[in-house]
């Protein structure tokens, strides 16, 4: 996965866009912050999401965190490899650990997301 | 455990809830605070530490715990059960103290959010040690393939223990940069969970109201420059309890 080709939300989701279908996951920075993932709950296909709406919940050891939709659209698929098994997300957050695919209803939302360089700066500001 | 002393909130409002509340109301208030922490009505650079009691023995379960399995267990069947927003295992709230800390933006406090456990637990160790109770961090994590349902039978490095007995555990919910941390300190064993012992059982020390206040004040002053103690919700903060919980 070419990380420079992805778009990023400040809440640490990444987006890969192909036509009007977005693949969404959470970044390595978020996975490190969560540490020791134990459970992931994802929305069912067909669910309509607004930008910034919760589209999943991730439990790490004794902490639950929300995942947010970086774009508006409808969930078309969730990663069948995730659920009780969180290993793909821990080991490969930008690849096998993707969370959902969605049909995007408004591609102009991409303009509100960060490129890789801006996202890295954002992470530095959060870490220090 | 190294912590940056510069990371502090400007102030912490310590709310000593004047009455024991129902499980539903305690959880509703915490959910409201977490939602409010992401809004502009939240007091800038402030945290809110609630110290509260439960008006009847109540089981709170971790956010992802399966309710069906819990209610099928005979000993819980006569108890009210509520779901926390935070993770972790089930806690019987009987003969214990509960705190919740809500902060709007955790980087002000700790480099990584899980470090907040140590930041809150350290002053509790200090106070308990000062009265002769040898509480300490467990220091090691032993996760079992199938974790026990009960929080106090689980094991994490940030737990406070006396010997092998866990007396304090905490769990978090993180949402849009805000954070809610729950914790429970076991004072003495409940008839419902006789296998779990509290401070009084182990050390015979009576835990009184002044110690409760000292513990809460030390926690608040370990995370903030100024502590404001409130014996009830002041008007300027009470609107934060009415923030509807949002999914976003």
């Amino acid at each position: 996965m070419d990380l420079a080709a992805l778009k990023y939300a400040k809440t640490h989701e990444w987006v890969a866009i192909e036509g009007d279908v977005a693949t969404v996951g959470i970044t390595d920075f978020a996975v490190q912050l969560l540490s020791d993932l134990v459970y992931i709950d994802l929305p069912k296909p067909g669910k309509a999401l607004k930008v910034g709406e919760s589209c999943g919940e991730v439990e790490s050891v004794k902490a639950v965190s929300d995942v947010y939709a970086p774009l508006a659209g409808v969930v078309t698929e969730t990663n069948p490899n995730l659920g009780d098994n969180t290993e793909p997300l821990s080991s490969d957050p930008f690849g096998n650990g993707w969370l959902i695919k969605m049909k995007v209803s408004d591609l102009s939302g991409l303009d509100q997301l960060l490129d890789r360089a801006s996202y890295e700066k954002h992470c530095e500001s959060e870490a220090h | 455990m190294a912590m940056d002393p510069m990371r502090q909130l400007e102030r912490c409002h310590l709310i000593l809830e004047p009455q024991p509340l129902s499980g539903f109301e305690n959880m509703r208030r915490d959910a409201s605070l977490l939602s409010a922490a992401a809004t502009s009505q939240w007091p800038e650079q402030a945290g809110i530490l609630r110290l509260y009691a439960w008006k009847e023995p109540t089981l709170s379960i971790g956010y992802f715990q399966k309710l069906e399995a819990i209610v099928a267990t005979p000993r819980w069947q006569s108890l009210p059960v509520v779901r926390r927003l935070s993770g972790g295992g089930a806690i019987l709230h009987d003969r214990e103290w509960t705190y919740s800390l809500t902060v709007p933006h955790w980087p002000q406090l700790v480099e990584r959010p899980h470090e907040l456990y140590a930041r809150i637990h350290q002053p509790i160790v200090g106070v308990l040690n000062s009265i002769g109770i040898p509480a300490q961090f467990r220091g090691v994590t032993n996760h079992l393939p199938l974790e026990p349902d009960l929080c106090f039978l689980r094991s994490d490095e940030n737990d406070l223990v006396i010997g092998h007995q866990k007396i304090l555990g905490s769990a978090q919910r993180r949402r849009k940069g805000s954070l809610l941390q729950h914790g429970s300190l076991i004072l003495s064993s409940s008839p419902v969970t006789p296998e779990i012992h509290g401070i009084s059982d182990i050390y015979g020390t009576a835990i009184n109201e002044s110690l409760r206040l000292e513990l809460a004040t030390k926690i608040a002053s370990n995370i903030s420059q100024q502590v404001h103690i409130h014996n009830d919700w002041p008007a300027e903060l009470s609107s934060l309890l009415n923030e509807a919980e949002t999914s976003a």
Side-chain angles (χ1 to χ4, degrees), chain B residues 165-180:
Chain B
Q165 176 68 59
K166 177 173 175 179
I167 56 159
L168 176 91
S170 296
Q172 292 178 349
R173 178 67 183 230
R174 303 169 195 160
R175 181 179 282 168
K176 287 213 163 167
S178 307
L179 189 151
L180 167 72

Side-chain angles (χ1 to χ4, degrees), chain B residues 11-237:
Chain B
R11 72 190 73 83
C12 180
H13 294 280
L14 168 56
I15 312 279
L16 305 163
E17 292 280 4
Q19 302 293 335
L21 298 167
S22 68
F24 174 83
E25 181 60 17
N26 274 328
M27 296 301 95
R28 191 197 68 77
R29 289 187 181 199
D30 287 340
S32 221
L33 291 171
L34 182 61
S35 293
T39 69
S40 58
Q41 60 165 324
W42 190 266
E44 206 176 330
Q45 283 274 321
I48 293 185
L49 178 64
R50 279 184 75 214
L51 201 60
Y52 55 89
W54 305 65
K55 73 177 182 187
E56 57 191 324
T58 300
L59 191 73
S60 79
I61 62 174
Y63 189 74
F64 274 121
Q65 283 192 290
K66 303 256 187 304
L67 181 64
E68 301 76 19
I70 299 284
V71 296
T73 306
R75 68 170 161 174
W76 309 131
Q77 283 176 351
S78 63
L79 298 175
V81 180
V82 291
R83 190 181 292 282
R84 298 191 307 274
L85 277 175
S86 52
I91 294 174
L92 176 65
H93 298 278
D94 182 23
R95 306 177 191 192
E96 57 84 66
W97 290 335
T98 311
Y99 75 80
S100 74
L101 173 70
T102 312
V103 293
H105 195 47
W106 53 262
Q108 294 162 345
L109 274 175
V110 284
E111 195 160 326
R112 295 187 177 275
H114 65 260
E115 292 164 6
L116 192 57
Y117 293 121
R119 191 72 177 266
I120 299 296
H121 293 185
Q122 189 68 58
I124 299 175
V125 170
V127 171
L128 293 178
N129 288 175
S130 74
I131 58 167
I133 298 176
Q136 58 183 14
F137 283 88
R138 190 192 297 276
V140 291
T141 299
N142 296 311
H143 293 304
L144 303 171
L146 193 62
E147 288 276 42
D149 283 339
L150 284 172
C151 166
F152 282 89
L153 300 180
R154 296 184 180 188
S155 161
D156 183 83
E157 62 184 323
N158 284 309
D159 296 338
L160 294 194
V161 295
I162 300 175
H164 293 295
Q165 176 68 59
K166 177 173 175 179
I167 56 159
L168 176 91
S170 296
Q172 292 178 349
R173 178 67 183 230
R174 303 169 195 160
R175 181 179 282 168
K176 287 213 163 167
S178 307
L179 189 151
L180 167 72
Q181 180 167 314
H182 278 139
S184 169
L185 177 69
I186 300 287
L187 303 181
S188 65
S189 189
S190 164
V192 185
T193 51
E195 74 273 38
I196 294 172
H197 303 290
I199 296 168
S200 301
D201 308 306
I202 305 166
Y203 236 65
T205 308
I207 305 295
N208 56 31
E209 198 55 29
S210 68
L211 183 64
R212 179 173 181 255
L213 182 60
E214 187 185 353
L215 279 168
T217 311
K218 288 275 168 62
I219 294 172
S221 48
N222 202 40
I223 57 170
S224 66
Q225 295 162 34
Q226 287 174 34
V227 179
H228 300 251
I229 300 175
H230 308 277
N231 290 312
D232 201 350
W233 284 88
E236 72 269 21
L237 297 178

Side-chain angles (χ1 to χ4, degrees), chain A residues 11 32-35 39 41 52-54 57-66 68 126-128, chain B residues 7 63-64 66 87-88 106-107 111-113 117 143 156 159 170-176 247-248:
Chain A
T11 44
Q32 274 178 33
L33 275 185
L34 287 162
S35 68
Y39 193 83
D41 193 34
E53 189 176 357
S54 175
E57 290 161 321
V58 180
E59 178 161 20
S60 56
V61 172
K62 299 207 304 176
V64 179
S65 301
D66 291 67
Y68 299 99
E126 280 217 338
H128 296 288
Chain B
R7 286 182 195 257
Y63 189 74
F64 274 121
K66 303 256 187 304
W106 53 262
E111 195 160 326
R112 295 187 177 275
Y117 293 121
H143 293 304
D156 183 83
D159 296 338
S170 296
Q172 292 178 349
R173 178 67 183 230
R174 303 169 195 160
R175 181 179 282 168
K176 287 213 163 167
S247 59

